[in-house]
Amino acid sequence: MFNCESFFRYISVMTQEEFIHIANEMRTKAVSVAQRCGYTQDDAEDIAQDVMIKLWCLHEKISDAVCMNALVSITTKHVCIDRWRTMHIHEDMGKTTPIVDEDTMYDHLEYAELEQWMGKQINFLPTTSRIVLTMRQLEHRELSEIADILGIKRTSVSTLLARARNELMNKLKRRN
């Protein structure tokens, strides 16, 4: 993502009151940028929420509304790209070729069915749990990296990941 540390090195500080004063305008801009990237209104609202959380974490390093306006556009585009990648990695999971010990048609069919079923079960997970599971299992990211990206505590990432895995394991046990 955009390296804000170097960008804000020599800039004065934006106060909490200034941030709150322009936050609604910036949220509206984030929604419109996300919609121009092809997301629906609901998805654009979610993206705008993520962007505003990221900007809130940086509000003490932002100097003024002009700087924030540019940062909203850049951050929104990066969040859209991250979501797009996450969605496509998750979709591609169902297209992988399984490794099967025996070369029988039955084994291939059974494995393909199980893989398809598991993909559907992952889609039924709550959004945050699904994203954390995808980032950890498919993208092989560290827990601290996931926590930084999502803006949550590392312990929360561990909890979400454990819940997602347990839920999938319980569904798999019930299926069998």
Side-chain angles (χ1 to χ4, degrees):
M1 194 173 152
F2 180 70
N3 184 357
C4 296
E5 296 297 325
S6 61
F7 187 71
F8 297 121
R9 188 175 300 155
Y10 302 106
I11 299 176
S12 62
V13 174
M14 174 182 279
T15 64
Q16 180 177 344
E17 291 78 23
E18 291 172 328
F19 181 88
I20 291 170
H21 179 70
I22 62 172
N24 285 335
E25 178 184 331
M26 295 302 121
R27 181 177 176 80
T28 304
K29 179 166 181 66
V31 169
S32 73
V33 170
Q35 286 178 324
R36 281 196 309 262
C37 288
Y39 287 93
T40 64
Q41 178 69 29
D42 291 338
D43 289 339
E45 290 289 338
D46 291 343
I47 289 169
Q49 179 180 348
D50 291 347
V51 168
M52 295 310 292
I53 290 170
K54 289 176 188 294
L55 293 177
W56 172 250
C57 294
L58 298 170
H59 84 276
E60 293 177 345
K61 298 178 183 179
I62 301 173
S63 67
D64 59 11
V66 174
C67 176
M68 185 149 167
N69 196 16
L71 191 58
V72 166
S73 296
I74 292 168
T75 306
T76 305
K77 288 177 185 175
H78 284 275
V79 170
C80 288
I81 291 168
D82 288 346
R83 280 209 178 195
W84 183 83
R85 285 180 181 158
T86 302
M87 283 187 336
H88 287 301
I89 287 172
H90 186 66
E91 288 173 3
D92 291 343
M93 185 183 77
K95 299 176 185 174
T96 59
T97 306
I99 299 172
V100 179
D101 290 340
E102 298 178 25
D103 248 0
T104 65
M105 185 65 128
Y106 178 77
D107 290 335
H108 286 288
L109 250 167
E110 187 176 340
Y111 192 85
E113 181 185 318
L114 177 63
E115 192 174 33
Q116 184 180 21
W117 179 85
M118 187 60 81
K120 287 180 183 176
Q121 298 310 308
I122 290 172
N123 282 333
F124 290 134
L125 290 173
T127 305
T128 309
S129 297
R130 184 176 66 238
I131 290 171
V132 168
L133 183 70
T134 302
M135 292 173 87
R136 180 66 175 161
Q137 298 302 130
L138 298 178
E139 297 175 13
H140 306 289
R141 295 182 187 253
E142 296 295 322
L143 295 178
S144 57
E145 184 182 4
I146 295 169
D148 291 341
I149 291 169
L150 297 178
I152 58 178
K153 294 180 183 178
R154 188 177 183 279
T155 54
S156 297
V157 172
S158 296
T159 303
L160 288 168
L161 187 59
R163 285 182 186 163
R165 287 176 177 163
N166 283 337
E167 188 172 335
L168 288 175
M169 185 58 75
N170 290 335
K171 287 181 180 182
L172 186 60
K173 286 178 183 176
R174 283 192 302 262
R175 181 177 189 260
N176 293 331

